[in-house]
Amino acid sequence: MSVLTSRLTFGMAGLVATLALATPALAGPIFVDDFQDGQADGWAATGDGDVRLTAYRDNISLRFTHRAEALTTVSTRGFGDVVVAASLAGQSLGRGDACLAEVSGDGGATWQTVVRLDDGTDDGVTLVRGEIAPAGGDDNARLMIRFRAMAGLTTLCWGDAVTVSGAAL
């Protein structure tokens, strides 16, 4: 964000015109899913493992295990400067295991990591937040977001607080 400081020596009309030109388009939410409504609407589960909503205290998260993933698609048509953010928690991750939140701007051909948890960052409670301005995220009719477990049978992963934001083009 830029901050414009100006002296009022060129009149109010000049100041208003200068502010209009100098103010970038405001970024805002395009998509938000924190699962607090008890629904995982639009999320498709695949893979070998379990995907379900679970509650801990007053928070509902999407739990996924073993080699399971949950995928949703978001349109960012008409938006630039797109940023994807998500939170993850994990439990019982072993060496080589991981819980991931990822984004693809090219139909799933390649995936970029939003946030990743590995062994040692998996206390089963703490949600770790990450964000990325993904390649191919701007003005994309099918931006793909997924939670994915690459883990053993006893590992648990939780995804939460997915947001996609951007500025109107």
Side-chain angles (χ1 to χ4, degrees), residues 32-118:
V32 176
D33 200 347
D34 61 7
F35 307 109
Q36 295 311 297
D37 62 358
Q39 302 292 318
D41 298 334
W43 291 87
T46 61
D48 183 17
D50 183 49
V51 177
R52 70 174 70 185
L53 292 175
T54 61
Y56 177 74
R57 296 191 179 163
D58 291 328
N59 186 57
I60 300 172
S61 297
L62 186 66
R63 186 185 81 183
F64 47 104
T65 65
H66 192 42
R67 302 270 178 217
E69 60 184 63
L71 174 83
T72 194
T73 302
V74 176
S75 174
T76 63
R77 281 281 186 218
F79 292 92
D81 299 323
V82 170
V83 173
V84 176
S87 297
L88 285 176
Q91 184 175 3
S92 303
L93 288 164
R95 200 168 100 187
D97 292 346
C99 301
L100 298 120
E102 299 170 308
V103 61
S104 176
D106 60 9
T110 60
W111 291 91
Q112 300 161 69
T113 301
V114 177
V115 61
R116 176 185 174 120
L117 292 185
D118 297 289

Side-chain angles (χ1 to χ4, degrees), residues 86-163:
S87 297
L88 285 176
Q91 184 175 3
S92 303
L93 288 164
R95 200 168 100 187
D97 292 346
C99 301
L100 298 120
E102 299 170 308
V103 61
S104 176
D106 60 9
T110 60
W111 291 91
Q112 300 161 69
T113 301
V114 177
V115 61
R116 176 185 174 120
L117 292 185
D118 297 289
D119 185 22
T121 58
D122 57 334
D123 64 10
V125 177
T126 305
L127 286 164
V128 177
R129 189 117 179 114
E131 70 176 39
I132 186 173
D138 295 353
D139 199 31
N140 187 330
R142 293 192 41 81
L143 184 68
M144 300 169 76
I145 301 166
R146 75 178 175 187
F147 288 117
R148 180 168 64 107
M150 295 187 328
L153 293 172
T154 61
T155 299
L156 301 172
C157 300
W158 291 272
D160 206 349
V162 180
T163 61

Side-chain angles (χ1 to χ4, degrees), residues 15-37:
L15 178 60
V16 170
T18 301
L19 284 172
L21 292 174
T23 304
L26 296 177
I30 300 167
F31 174 83
V32 176
D33 200 347
D34 61 7
F35 307 109
Q36 295 311 297
D37 62 358

